[in-house]
Amino acid sequence: MAGKNGLAVIVDKTAKNQQTEKMIENLPAYISLAFVITTVATLLLFIWTIRSSNSELTRKKTATISIGLTIWLIIQAVLTLESIYNTDTNSLPPKIMLIGILPTILTIILLFATLKGRQFIDSLPLKNLTYLNIVRVPVEIVLFWLFLNKAIPQLMTFEGRNFDIIVGITAPVIAYFGLTKMKINPNAILIWNFICLGLLINIVVNALFSAPSPIQKFAFEQPNIAILNFPFSWLPTFIVPIVLFGHLTSIRQLLKQKSERK
Protein backbone atom coordinates (compact mmCIF):
# COMPACT_ATOMS: atom_id res chain seq x y z
CA MET A 1 0.00 0.00 0.00
CA ALA A 2 2.84 2.37 0.95
CA GLY A 3 4.58 1.50 -2.31
CA LYS A 4 1.47 2.36 -4.29
CA ASN A 5 1.10 5.66 -2.45
CA GLY A 6 4.75 6.49 -3.10
CA LEU A 7 4.34 5.66 -6.77
CA ALA A 8 1.24 7.83 -6.93
CA VAL A 9 3.16 10.77 -5.47
CA ILE A 10 5.97 10.33 -8.00
CA VAL A 11 3.50 10.11 -10.88
CA ASP A 12 1.68 13.19 -9.61
CA LYS A 13 4.92 15.21 -9.34
CA THR A 14 6.00 14.06 -12.79
CA ALA A 15 2.67 15.12 -14.23
CA LYS A 16 2.94 18.53 -12.58
CA ASN A 17 6.48 19.01 -13.88
CA GLN A 18 5.39 18.09 -17.39
CA GLN A 19 2.48 20.50 -17.12
CA THR A 20 4.82 23.24 -15.88
CA GLU A 21 7.18 22.78 -18.82
CA LYS A 22 4.27 22.73 -21.21
CA MET A 23 2.81 25.96 -19.83
CA ILE A 24 6.15 27.76 -20.20
CA GLU A 25 6.76 26.39 -23.69
CA ASN A 26 3.28 27.42 -24.82
CA LEU A 27 3.48 30.99 -23.59
CA PRO A 28 2.29 33.47 -26.23
CA ALA A 29 5.32 34.97 -27.95
CA TYR A 30 4.22 38.54 -27.19
CA ILE A 31 4.78 38.00 -23.46
CA SER A 32 8.44 37.03 -23.88
CA LEU A 33 8.94 39.76 -26.49
CA ALA A 34 7.43 42.40 -24.21
CA PHE A 35 9.73 41.35 -21.38
CA VAL A 36 12.83 41.38 -23.60
CA ILE A 37 11.93 44.91 -24.70
CA THR A 38 11.41 45.92 -21.05
CA THR A 39 14.82 44.52 -20.12
CA VAL A 40 16.51 46.36 -22.98
CA ALA A 41 14.68 49.54 -21.94
CA THR A 42 16.00 49.12 -18.38
CA LEU A 43 19.54 48.75 -19.73
CA LEU A 44 19.22 51.82 -21.97
CA LEU A 45 17.71 53.94 -19.18
CA PHE A 46 20.56 53.00 -16.86
CA ILE A 47 23.13 53.81 -19.54
CA TRP A 48 21.33 57.14 -20.10
CA THR A 49 21.64 57.79 -16.36
CA ILE A 50 25.39 57.19 -16.43
CA ARG A 51 25.85 59.37 -19.51
CA SER A 52 23.96 62.17 -17.74
CA SER A 53 26.35 62.11 -14.76
CA ASN A 54 27.87 65.37 -13.56
CA SER A 55 31.23 63.61 -13.42
CA GLU A 56 33.36 63.30 -16.55
CA LEU A 57 35.08 60.27 -15.00
CA THR A 58 31.73 58.51 -14.61
CA ARG A 59 30.65 59.41 -18.16
CA LYS A 60 33.88 57.89 -19.49
CA LYS A 61 32.92 54.58 -17.87
CA THR A 62 29.65 54.37 -19.83
CA ALA A 63 31.00 52.06 -22.54
CA THR A 64 32.74 49.75 -20.06
CA ILE A 65 29.67 49.48 -17.83
CA SER A 66 27.41 48.95 -20.86
CA ILE A 67 29.57 46.08 -22.09
CA GLY A 68 29.74 44.57 -18.61
CA LEU A 69 25.96 44.67 -18.14
CA THR A 70 25.39 43.22 -21.63
CA ILE A 71 27.77 40.35 -20.88
CA TRP A 72 25.93 39.74 -17.60
CA LEU A 73 22.61 39.55 -19.47
CA ILE A 74 24.11 37.11 -21.97
CA ILE A 75 25.50 34.93 -19.16
CA GLN A 76 22.10 34.80 -17.47
CA ALA A 77 20.40 34.02 -20.77
CA VAL A 78 22.79 31.12 -21.43
CA LEU A 79 22.38 29.72 -17.91
CA THR A 80 18.61 29.84 -18.25
CA LEU A 81 18.47 28.42 -21.78
CA GLU A 82 20.73 25.59 -20.62
CA SER A 83 18.11 24.84 -17.92
CA ILE A 84 20.56 25.46 -15.09
CA TYR A 85 17.94 27.23 -12.98
CA ASN A 86 14.86 25.12 -13.64
CA THR A 87 16.47 21.73 -13.02
CA ASP A 88 17.27 20.30 -9.59
CA THR A 89 15.12 22.89 -7.84
CA ASN A 90 15.81 21.12 -4.53
CA SER A 91 19.35 22.49 -4.35
CA LEU A 92 20.09 24.79 -1.43
CA PRO A 93 20.67 27.64 -1.85
CA PRO A 94 18.56 27.83 -5.03
CA LYS A 95 20.84 28.13 -8.07
CA ILE A 96 19.29 31.37 -9.27
CA MET A 97 20.02 32.95 -5.89
CA LEU A 98 23.61 31.71 -5.85
CA ILE A 99 24.57 32.38 -9.48
CA GLY A 100 22.13 35.07 -10.56
CA ILE A 101 21.19 37.22 -7.57
CA LEU A 102 24.08 37.04 -5.10
CA PRO A 103 26.71 38.50 -7.51
CA THR A 104 24.51 41.56 -8.09
CA ILE A 105 23.98 42.09 -4.36
CA LEU A 106 27.72 41.81 -3.72
CA THR A 107 28.39 44.33 -6.51
CA ILE A 108 26.00 46.84 -4.94
CA ILE A 109 27.58 46.33 -1.52
CA LEU A 110 31.05 46.83 -3.03
CA LEU A 111 29.97 50.10 -4.68
CA PHE A 112 28.64 51.49 -1.40
CA ALA A 113 31.61 50.20 0.61
CA THR A 114 34.42 51.69 -1.48
CA LEU A 115 35.44 55.31 -2.02
CA LYS A 116 35.42 55.07 -5.82
CA GLY A 117 32.09 53.29 -5.68
CA ARG A 118 30.55 56.06 -3.57
CA GLN A 119 31.98 58.68 -5.91
CA PHE A 120 30.27 56.90 -8.82
CA ILE A 121 27.02 56.66 -6.85
CA ASP A 122 27.01 60.33 -5.86
CA SER A 123 27.63 61.45 -9.44
CA LEU A 124 24.45 59.87 -10.83
CA PRO A 125 21.53 62.25 -11.42
CA LEU A 126 18.53 61.72 -9.16
CA LYS A 127 16.09 62.68 -11.89
CA ASN A 128 17.30 59.93 -14.23
CA LEU A 129 17.33 57.33 -11.47
CA THR A 130 13.72 58.24 -10.70
CA TYR A 131 12.58 58.01 -14.33
CA LEU A 132 14.17 54.55 -14.43
CA ASN A 133 11.30 53.25 -12.30
CA ILE A 134 8.91 53.65 -15.23
CA VAL A 135 9.97 50.15 -16.33
CA ARG A 136 8.00 48.77 -13.39
CA VAL A 137 4.76 49.40 -15.30
CA PRO A 138 5.51 47.02 -18.21
CA VAL A 139 7.02 44.55 -15.73
CA GLU A 140 3.72 44.44 -13.84
CA ILE A 141 1.77 43.99 -17.06
CA VAL A 142 4.02 41.07 -18.07
CA LEU A 143 3.62 39.52 -14.61
CA PHE A 144 -0.16 39.71 -14.97
CA TRP A 145 0.04 37.99 -18.37
CA LEU A 146 2.27 35.30 -16.83
CA PHE A 147 -0.31 34.74 -14.11
CA LEU A 148 -3.05 34.32 -16.71
CA ASN A 149 -0.85 31.69 -18.37
CA LYS A 150 -0.21 29.88 -15.06
CA ALA A 151 3.50 30.71 -14.92
CA ILE A 152 3.36 32.69 -11.65
CA PRO A 153 0.90 32.87 -8.74
CA GLN A 154 -1.68 35.62 -8.43
CA LEU A 155 0.05 37.02 -5.34
CA MET A 156 2.87 38.26 -7.62
CA THR A 157 0.49 40.52 -9.56
CA PHE A 158 -1.35 43.77 -8.79
CA GLU A 159 -4.38 41.57 -8.07
CA GLY A 160 -2.43 39.98 -5.22
CA ARG A 161 0.39 41.32 -3.03
CA ASN A 162 2.30 43.27 -5.66
CA PHE A 163 1.75 47.05 -5.65
CA ASP A 164 4.87 47.91 -7.64
CA ILE A 165 2.85 49.36 -10.51
CA ILE A 166 2.10 52.37 -8.28
CA VAL A 167 5.82 53.17 -8.29
CA GLY A 168 6.02 53.05 -12.08
CA ILE A 169 3.01 55.33 -12.43
CA THR A 170 4.18 57.90 -9.87
CA ALA A 171 7.85 57.92 -10.91
CA PRO A 172 7.51 60.43 -13.79
CA VAL A 173 5.43 62.69 -11.54
CA ILE A 174 8.12 62.67 -8.84
CA ALA A 175 10.90 63.12 -11.41
CA TYR A 176 9.27 66.04 -13.23
CA PHE A 177 7.54 67.98 -10.47
CA GLY A 178 9.99 67.06 -7.69
CA LEU A 179 13.38 67.04 -9.41
CA THR A 180 12.89 69.22 -12.50
CA LYS A 181 10.34 71.83 -11.35
CA MET A 182 11.36 71.52 -7.68
CA LYS A 183 7.72 71.70 -6.57
CA ILE A 184 7.84 68.66 -4.27
CA ASN A 185 9.58 68.80 -0.92
CA PRO A 186 12.85 66.77 -0.88
CA ASN A 187 11.65 65.03 2.29
CA ALA A 188 8.57 63.82 0.40
CA ILE A 189 10.81 62.46 -2.36
CA LEU A 190 12.91 60.69 0.27
CA ILE A 191 9.79 59.13 1.82
CA TRP A 192 8.62 58.11 -1.66
CA ASN A 193 11.91 56.29 -2.23
CA PHE A 194 11.66 54.46 1.09
CA ILE A 195 8.09 53.38 0.28
CA CYS A 196 9.13 52.24 -3.20
CA LEU A 197 12.06 50.31 -1.72
CA GLY A 198 9.67 48.60 0.68
CA LEU A 199 7.33 47.64 -2.17
CA LEU A 200 10.28 46.23 -4.10
CA ILE A 201 11.44 44.13 -1.15
CA ASN A 202 7.87 42.94 -0.64
CA ILE A 203 7.52 41.49 -4.15
CA VAL A 204 11.05 40.07 -4.15
CA VAL A 205 10.36 38.15 -0.93
CA ASN A 206 7.03 36.89 -2.26
CA ALA A 207 8.60 35.89 -5.58
CA LEU A 208 11.44 33.93 -3.95
CA PHE A 209 9.18 32.15 -1.46
CA SER A 210 6.75 31.13 -4.20
CA ALA A 211 9.41 29.74 -6.56
CA PRO A 212 10.08 25.96 -6.60
CA SER A 213 12.87 25.42 -4.06
CA PRO A 214 13.47 24.05 -0.56
CA ILE A 215 12.58 27.50 0.83
CA GLN A 216 9.22 27.71 -0.94
CA LYS A 217 6.54 28.78 1.55
CA PHE A 218 3.41 29.33 -0.52
CA ALA A 219 1.84 29.20 -4.02
CA PHE A 220 2.34 25.43 -4.26
CA GLU A 221 -0.66 25.02 -6.59
CA GLN A 222 0.71 27.59 -9.04
CA PRO A 223 4.36 28.26 -8.20
CA ASN A 224 6.57 31.00 -9.61
CA ILE A 225 8.21 29.03 -12.41
CA ALA A 226 8.64 31.98 -14.76
CA ILE A 227 11.80 33.40 -13.15
CA LEU A 228 13.56 30.07 -13.71
CA ASN A 229 13.01 30.32 -17.46
CA PHE A 230 14.22 32.62 -20.25
CA PRO A 231 13.80 35.55 -20.58
CA PHE A 232 12.07 36.08 -17.23
CA SER A 233 15.18 35.14 -15.23
CA TRP A 234 16.36 38.64 -16.16
CA LEU A 235 13.83 40.04 -13.69
CA PRO A 236 15.58 38.92 -10.46
CA THR A 237 19.09 38.92 -11.94
CA PHE A 238 19.05 42.28 -13.72
CA ILE A 239 15.96 44.50 -13.50
CA VAL A 240 15.41 44.15 -9.75
CA PRO A 241 19.10 44.80 -8.88
CA ILE A 242 19.14 47.90 -11.13
CA VAL A 243 15.97 49.25 -9.51
CA LEU A 244 17.29 48.38 -6.03
CA PHE A 245 20.55 50.18 -6.77
CA GLY A 246 18.58 53.18 -8.01
CA HIS A 247 16.60 53.50 -4.79
CA LEU A 248 19.61 53.01 -2.52
CA THR A 249 21.55 55.60 -4.50
CA SER A 250 18.64 58.06 -4.41
CA ILE A 251 18.18 57.60 -0.67
CA ARG A 252 21.90 58.15 -0.03
CA GLN A 253 21.95 61.34 -2.12
CA LEU A 254 18.76 62.72 -0.55
CA LEU A 255 20.03 62.03 2.96
CA LYS A 256 23.31 63.78 2.11
CA GLN A 257 21.42 66.79 0.76
CA LYS A 258 19.27 66.88 3.90
CA SER A 259 22.38 66.80 6.08
CA GLU A 260 24.00 69.60 4.06
CA ARG A 261 20.87 71.77 4.37
CA LYS A 262 21.04 71.43 8.15
Side-chain angles (χ1 to χ4, degrees):
M1 191 70 178
K4 288 183 178 180
N5 289 337
L7 181 61
V9 170
I10 293 173
V11 170
D12 181 58
K13 286 184 177 180
T14 303
K16 286 183 179 179
N17 288 338
Q18 289 176 344
Q19 183 182 13
T20 294
E21 292 174 2
K22 183 178 179 182
M23 297 309 289
I24 286 292
E25 290 176 357
N26 291 337
L27 275 179
Y30 70 84
I31 299 178
S32 297
L33 178 61
F35 191 76
V36 170
I37 292 172
T38 301
T39 303
V40 173
T42 304
L43 175 63
L44 293 177
L45 283 170
F46 190 63
I47 292 171
W48 168 61
T49 300
I50 298 170
R51 282 180 177 169
S52 302
S53 170
N54 57 21
S55 166
E56 184 180 353
L57 183 61
T58 296
R59 293 195 298 272
K60 286 181 178 179
K61 295 177 181 177
T62 302
T64 303
I65 294 172
S66 301
I67 293 170
L69 291 175
T70 302
I71 291 173
W72 176 251
L73 284 170
I74 292 171
I75 290 172
Q76 292 306 312
V78 170
L79 288 171
T80 313
L81 291 169
E82 290 295 320
S83 299
I84 300 299
Y85 293 150
N86 62 10
T87 55
D88 188 22
T89 54
N90 290 322
S91 62
L92 193 65
K95 293 176 183 177
I96 194 168
M97 290 184 66
L98 184 63
I99 309 174
I101 299 174
L102 182 60
T104 65
I105 299 300
L106 292 176
T107 300
I108 292 173
I109 291 173
L110 184 65
L111 286 171
F112 277 85
T114 60
L115 178 60
K116 288 185 177 180
R118 291 192 295 273
Q119 289 173 343
F120 169 76
I121 286 168
D122 292 338
S123 73
L124 298 177
L126 265 173
K127 180 178 68 175
N128 300 58
L129 289 169
T130 305
Y131 274 121
L132 180 61
N133 288 285
I134 294 174
V135 300
R136 289 157 91 160
V137 173
V139 165
E140 295 310 305
I141 294 172
V142 168
L143 288 177
F144 185 68
W145 287 340
L146 287 170
F147 160 65
L148 294 178
N149 285 271
K150 303 186 185 302
I152 66 169
Q154 186 181 35
L155 62 87
M156 284 183 61
T157 72
F158 46 70
E159 287 191 345
R161 306 176 189 172
N162 188 353
F163 308 104
D164 237 31
I165 195 167
I166 298 172
V167 181
I169 294 171
T170 57
V173 177
I174 296 295
Y176 182 73
F177 289 103
L179 299 167
T180 300
K181 295 296 184 179
M182 303 296 183
K183 292 184 177 181
I184 299 177
N185 189 290
N187 288 332
I189 300 174
L190 179 62
I191 293 170
W192 179 83
N193 270 282
F194 273 116
I195 292 172
C196 295
L197 180 60
L199 291 175
L200 180 67
I201 293 171
N202 167 66
I203 184 54
V204 167
V205 170
N206 278 284
L208 290 176
F209 284 145
S210 61
S213 75
I215 64 172
Q216 184 176 0
K217 300 297 182 184
F218 32 71
F220 292 97
E221 293 184 1
Q222 187 172 323
N224 173 19
I225 59 172
I227 65 167
L228 304 180
N229 292 271
F230 180 81
F232 310 107
S233 61
W234 281 340
L235 179 57
T237 63
F238 180 74
I239 294 180
V240 168
I242 289 289
V243 172
L244 172 64
F245 173 75
H247 281 311
L248 294 176
T249 297
S250 298
I251 290 169
R252 171 182 163 82
Q253 289 190 21
L254 288 165
L255 287 174
K256 281 188 68 177
Q257 290 175 14
K258 185 176 181 179
S259 177
E260 289 169 1
R261 286 195 302 271
K262 288 183 178 180

